[in-house]
Amino acid sequence: MIVNPPQTLNDGDTANFNVTVQGGSPTSYLWTFEVPSGAGNNPNVPFTSPNSAMTSARAHWFAYPNQPCAPSQNPNTYWNSKYKIKIKVTFNNGRETTKDTSLTVNSYWDPAGYVAPPTISGGPAYGFDPQRNLWVITKQGSMQRAASPRVINVPSTSQFFNKTDRHEQKHEEQYATGILSDLFTVSSLFSVLSTVTGTSEQDLINNVNQATINWYNQQNTGLQGRLPAAEREAYNISDPIAPHYVYQNCGRF
Amino acid sequence: MIKVFAIIVLFLGGLASVVWLQQTNSSDDNLKSLAANSDVIAIGIVEKSFDVVRPEELKPKTEEKSNTIVLPNPQKYLVGKIFRIKVNEILKGKNENETVDYLDVFVPGSFWKKGDPLLIEGQEYVFILKDFKDENGSYSNAAILQTNNKQVAFNSNSYYSILRGEKGIVEIKSDESSVIQKIKRILNKY
């Protein structure tokens, strides 16, 4: 009797199992699983056809040890929960044979999701000021605040998708209307660029380029100082969403 | 050695420190693992940072039709940052006799993501470092943007990286000298 080899999948992926019987006439199959005693987060391998030679199941991560945050010691063991998969085959002569394999379910995405800070697309209009004999910025032109959409690396089939998605959605809100909304704005950048001048067209363009880079640096420095508060606020939204494991604040922020 | 150290801590730090020393917790094991895999462990203050950029994304551009200047996009030009660390103490070094005043640490990425080390200028940290290796050649054409706006080639072999992202730094707050003691105690085992 040959059963498929051990497999490692991400939470939410589909695991396939099969057993091949050599000799004898099977009359029934039974797929079951075992987990360590005390495992949390409702361990389950929901076999689609538990009484067939071939079956599948959605990979479901369980918590072992049963705690919300990965332990410092051997965190990989926590992120990779390991099911013992058993197939019992009964033959027409009444004989029973059991074989084992395993399913390891990984729950760690690094990062689970993110929202990049907004950027300013387009650029300001410019021209020559004959009174000052300088090239100057004349108006905002096509400058626009370009918000970055959230990126979720956790697949939608994973049990951790909803909490990750809600967490990153909060970050989007923070940049749009919340505690980070005053950063990376057109008005802030334009207030800097409107004073930039150049002795030639190329000189102005170079100076605007440099002023923009410096401005992004200042904005990023301001952002760094506020990130812990922004993360706390987002975790306050996502931590209460089940499952209460892995992607919790865990006192980091 | 551990006994001698415990006595010193008792003398300097009082009874609370001794109680702490008697405890073993899992974060010690994590620090042990990080320390064992590191090249350098240093205590220092983030003094300043420099952008590491793709020069081709910083070439000034204009749109002639509308007479506008196209602004550079940090998600395209910025590939990482170098943080200059003013070293206060080396806890583990490559050369025991060498005096190190500064260390330069490269943190890849155009913006901070969860899991990245969050470094704030003026803040003191313990840094657990490894030699940076540009294994895929991703930074072969990158340049460092200096404060005088000049660009110099980014030589990836000259920098350290922080081991395991945010896990490779420990922020030192004024009331947390015990963190340094903990790391020293762990290093004494190596």
Side-chain angles (χ1 to χ4, degrees):
Chain A
M1 195 161 90
I2 301 169
V3 67
N4 59 279
Q7 51 193 315
T8 298
L9 297 171
N10 289 328
D11 182 76
D13 286 353
T14 299
N16 293 302
F17 304 96
N18 61 77
V19 62
T20 306
V21 175
Q22 295 166 317
S25 299
T27 54
S28 70
Y29 299 89
L30 180 62
W31 292 93
T32 57
F33 67 90
E34 290 176 7
V35 296
S37 171
N41 194 35
N42 306 312
N44 191 19
V45 182
F47 297 107
T48 51
S49 306
N51 302 116
S52 300
M54 292 174 66
T55 185
S56 62
R58 179 165 289 184
H60 174 94
W61 176 88
F62 65 81
Y64 187 72
N66 184 16
Q67 59 186 53
C69 309
S72 299
Q73 189 175 14
N74 300 323
N76 285 337
T77 307
Y78 176 80
W79 290 318
N80 292 280
S81 57
K82 190 171 181 180
Y83 289 93
K84 186 176 188 180
I85 305 292
K86 297 168 91 75
I87 171 65
K88 184 170 83 176
V89 179
T90 305
F91 293 86
N92 61 354
N93 61 4
R95 186 170 59 90
E96 290 180 350
T97 305
T98 300
K99 277 270 186 183
D100 295 346
T101 183
S102 67
L103 168 63
T104 301
V105 184
N106 181 282
S107 66
Y108 188 61
W109 284 270
D110 182 21
Y114 61 86
V115 176
T119 56
I120 307 298
S121 64
Y126 68 101
F128 182 70
D129 180 352
Q131 289 181 332
R132 289 196 285 168
N133 197 31
L134 285 172
W135 287 83
V136 296
I137 296 298
T138 54
K139 53 187 178 181
Q140 285 188 6
S142 58
M143 288 172 72
Q144 275 195 327
R145 190 175 195 247
S148 300
R150 62 188 183 274
V151 175
I152 309 297
N153 291 327
V154 176
S156 59
T157 52
S158 167
Q159 59 186 314
F160 296 102
F161 177 81
N162 284 345
K163 69 186 303 167
T164 304
D165 188 52
R166 189 66 192 87
H167 182 101
E168 299 306 330
Q169 191 185 340
K170 183 64 194 174
H171 286 316
E172 283 181 336
E173 290 166 14
Q174 289 168 340
Y175 282 117
T177 56
I179 61 172
L180 304 176
S181 59
D182 61 321
L183 293 170
F184 303 96
T185 63
V186 169
S187 60
S188 167
L189 177 54
F190 187 69
S191 70
V192 172
L193 297 186
S194 60
T195 63
V196 176
T197 59
T199 53
S200 65
E201 183 178 7
Q202 193 56 51
D203 187 43
L204 174 72
I205 294 165
N206 288 342
N207 292 343
V208 163
N209 223 35
Q210 198 50 56
T212 304
I213 293 166
N214 293 343
W215 177 82
Y216 272 119
N217 263 329
Q218 287 166 0
Q219 296 294 301
N220 273 320
T221 301
L223 175 63
Q224 295 280 90
R226 292 200 222 168
L227 280 173
E231 286 298 337
R232 276 194 298 275
E233 192 178 62
Y235 275 113
N236 284 343
I237 299 291
S238 60
D239 276 4
I241 298 171
H244 305 130
Y245 296 96
V246 189
Y247 297 104
Q248 304 291 107
N249 187 349
C250 297
R252 283 185 300 161
F253 300 102
Chain B
M1 183 66 179
I2 292 169
K3 281 182 183 173
V4 172
F5 187 68
I7 291 167
I8 294 168
V9 170
L10 174 61
F11 178 71
L12 296 174
L15 189 60
S17 297
V18 173
V19 171
W20 169 81
L21 252 185
Q22 288 170 341
Q23 295 172 343
T24 37
N25 58 42
S26 56
S27 67
D28 280 15
D29 295 307
N30 189 38
L31 278 171
K32 266 188 218 173
S33 160
L34 283 168
N37 288 303
S38 66
D39 292 319
V40 169
I41 302 177
I43 301 168
I45 294 172
V46 179
E47 196 170 89
K48 55 185 167 183
S49 62
F50 301 92
D51 287 351
V52 179
V53 299
R54 293 193 193 289
E56 68 274 18
E57 295 291 344
L58 276 180
K59 285 184 181 153
K61 294 173 200 158
T62 56
E63 276 182 9
E64 285 181 21
K65 275 185 187 171
S66 53
N67 235 25
T68 58
I69 299 168
V70 179
L71 298 173
N73 181 343
Q75 288 181 27
K76 290 181 178 171
Y77 71 74
L78 192 60
V79 295
K81 273 188 178 287
I82 293 166
F83 291 90
R84 178 149 293 170
I85 312 303
K86 187 172 190 323
V87 175
N88 294 332
E89 188 175 355
I90 295 284
L91 302 180
K92 175 183 175 183
K94 292 178 180 173
N95 184 348
E96 296 294 323
N97 300 320
E98 189 182 3
T99 304
V100 179
D101 295 325
Y102 288 95
L103 289 173
D104 286 336
V105 175
F106 177 61
V107 177
S110 59
F111 57 91
W112 181 86
K113 298 189 190 88
K114 261 183 281 299
D116 290 344
L118 182 56
L119 295 172
I120 295 172
E121 286 181 24
Q123 177 61 50
E124 187 176 26
Y125 302 87
V126 177
F127 295 89
I128 304 173
L129 304 171
K130 208 164 173 54
D131 286 332
F132 177 72
K133 289 189 177 69
D134 182 14
E135 285 168 350
N136 304 321
S138 306
Y139 304 97
S140 54
N141 296 321
I144 303 166
L145 205 56
Q146 296 185 312
T147 46
N148 60 3
N149 300 331
K150 302 285 182 206
Q151 295 178 14
V152 295
F154 173 67
N155 179 1
S156 61
N157 294 329
S158 307
Y159 301 96
Y160 290 100
S161 60
I162 296 173
L163 207 55
R164 293 184 209 162
E166 66 179 1
K167 293 182 174 60
I169 57 166
V170 182
E171 186 178 342
I172 305 293
K173 294 175 183 163
S174 56
D175 58 345
E176 282 186 352
S177 60
S178 64
V179 172
I180 299 170
Q181 290 174 352
K182 180 192 271 189
I183 292 169
K184 283 182 177 175
R185 179 172 63 88
I186 286 166
L187 288 174
N188 281 340
K189 293 181 180 174
Y190 289 93

